[in-house]
Amino acid sequence: MTGSTPTPQELLAIAMDVAREAADTAYRMRAAGVEVAATKSTITDVVTAADRAVERQVLDALATIRPDDSVLGEEYGEEPGAGAPGATGSGVRWIVDPIDGTVNYLYGLAHSAVSLAAEVDGVVVAGVVRNVFTGEEWTATLGGGAWRAGQRLRCSTETDLGQALVATGFGYDAARRSHQARVVAGLIAHVRDIRRLGAAALDLCLAAEGRVDAYFEKGLAAWDQAAGGLVASEAGLRVAGLRGLPAGPDLVIAAPEALFAPLHDRLDDLDAAGGP
Ligand code: LIP
C-alpha cells in the first residue's frame, strides 16, 4: 500500500481475507466445543475463549498488513496503530466484533458472525459480515453498494408497517430487557410479526436483502453495527436513530424509506430509546 489512504475497495479486500480466516477459526473452535470463559456487564453477557482468540487473530493480521491503523474491538477495546505515540496514524480505524451473537454461538444456533468494518477519518467506508456457521458473507463499500454471493442487494419494498416483519433484540441487563419487552408489546399489534434472531450485524444484513423488512435495537455498540449498518444503508435502508439523531447506542432503526417514519413514530411513542 502506498502512503496515501487506501480505497474502500482495497480496505474491503483486506477485511474479507481477515474475516474469512477469523470465521474459520470460530467455526473450528465451535466444533471442538466452547464454554463460557468469563462474563462481562451481567451474568448473561458471556465471552468465550473463541471470542478472544478470534479477536486476537484479527488484531495480529491487521497489525501485519496495516501496522499504522488503529483497531476498536469488543473484547480488547481500542488498540492504537504502531505509529509514534500521539501520531495521527493512518486515519484508518478498523472496528471488529469477533463473534457477534455470542450466546447463539455458545448454544450452537447458526446465527453468529464475524463483523469487520474499516473507517476512514471517522466514516465507515467498507464492511464485511460473515456467518460463522453458514459461510454466508455480506459486503459493502460506501457508494459501492451491498453484495452477497455476487448479487447486489436491495432492501424490502414493503410500504405498510402492518405488513412488516420486524427484527429486534434485547440487552444483557434485566431491567433493560423489561423495558425493551414493553416496547415490543406496544409495537407487535402494529406490525406483521417480530423476529428476535440474536446478532445485530446479521439482523442488519438480513434487513438489507429483505429477509426481514426492518430492524431496530437499543444498546448496540459500534462493533455490533458498523459493518452491518453500511451493508444496510448501501442496500437502500435508512439507518438512523430517533428525532434526526444518527444510529447509536440509544437506538438503531434500519428501515426502507416508506416504513421509516411510521416505525420511528411508533418507537418514539413507546420510548424505545429510553429506559435503563
Ligand atoms: C449481541 C447483539 C444482539 C443483541 C445482544 C448482544 P454480542 O452482541 O448482536 O443484537 O441483542 O444482546 O448485544 O454480545 O453477541 O456481540
Side-chain angles (χ1 to χ4, degrees), residues 74 97 99-102 169-172 196 198-200 215 217 220 224:
E74 177 169 6
D97 191 335
I99 300 180
D100 188 38
T102 297
F170 303 89
Y172 290 116
R196 198 294 192 244
Y215 165 76
E217 187 161 355
L220 297 182
D224 294 315

Side-chain angles (χ1 to χ4, degrees), residues 6 13 47 64 73 85 90 93 98 117 123 130 132 177 179 187 195-196 200 212 229 231 248 252 263:
V47 59
T64 303
S90 62
R93 181 174 77 150
V123 177
R130 189 175 176 89
V132 165
R177 282 202 300 279
H179 179 79
L187 179 69
R195 290 291 179 270
R196 198 294 192 244
V212 294
V231 171
V252 171
L263 179 57

Side-chain angles (χ1 to χ4, degrees), residues 187-258:
L187 179 69
I188 201 159
H190 304 286
V191 298
R192 174 191 296 274
D193 203 347
I194 295 284
R195 290 291 179 270
R196 198 294 192 244
L197 300 165
L202 283 173
D203 300 351
L204 285 160
C205 290
L206 294 182
E209 59 174 282
R211 287 156 78 177
V212 294
D213 296 301
Y215 165 76
F216 73 94
E217 187 161 355
K218 174 184 172 68
L220 297 182
W223 46 78
D224 294 315
Q225 57 157 318
L230 183 66
V231 171
S233 55
E234 285 293 322
L237 291 168
R238 182 164 162 194
V239 182
L242 281 183
R243 302 180 190 177
L245 289 173
D250 284 347
L251 198 66
V252 171
I253 307 172
E257 273 308 327

Side-chain angles (χ1 to χ4, degrees), residues 108-133:
L109 296 171
H111 194 77
S112 304
V114 172
S115 173
L116 183 57
E119 199 185 55
V120 173
D121 299 330
V123 177
V124 175
V125 298
V128 56
V129 175
R130 189 175 176 89
N131 185 311
V132 165
F133 293 90

Side-chain angles (χ1 to χ4, degrees), residues 42 170-182 218 274-276:
T42 72
F170 303 89
Y172 290 116
D173 172 75
R176 173 170 291 175
R177 282 202 300 279
S178 298
H179 179 79
Q180 291 170 312
R182 283 191 291 276
K218 174 184 172 68

Side-chain angles (χ1 to χ4, degrees), residues 19-34 48-51 53-55 57 98-100 105 112-114 130-133:
R20 284 174 183 175
E21 289 179 15
D24 288 351
T25 299
Y27 184 84
R28 273 197 311 278
M29 292 186 76
R30 183 69 194 66
V34 290
T48 70
D51 292 89
V54 170
E55 186 162 321
Q57 178 179 323
I99 300 180
D100 188 38
Y105 180 80
S112 304
V114 172
R130 189 175 176 89
N131 185 311
V132 165
F133 293 90

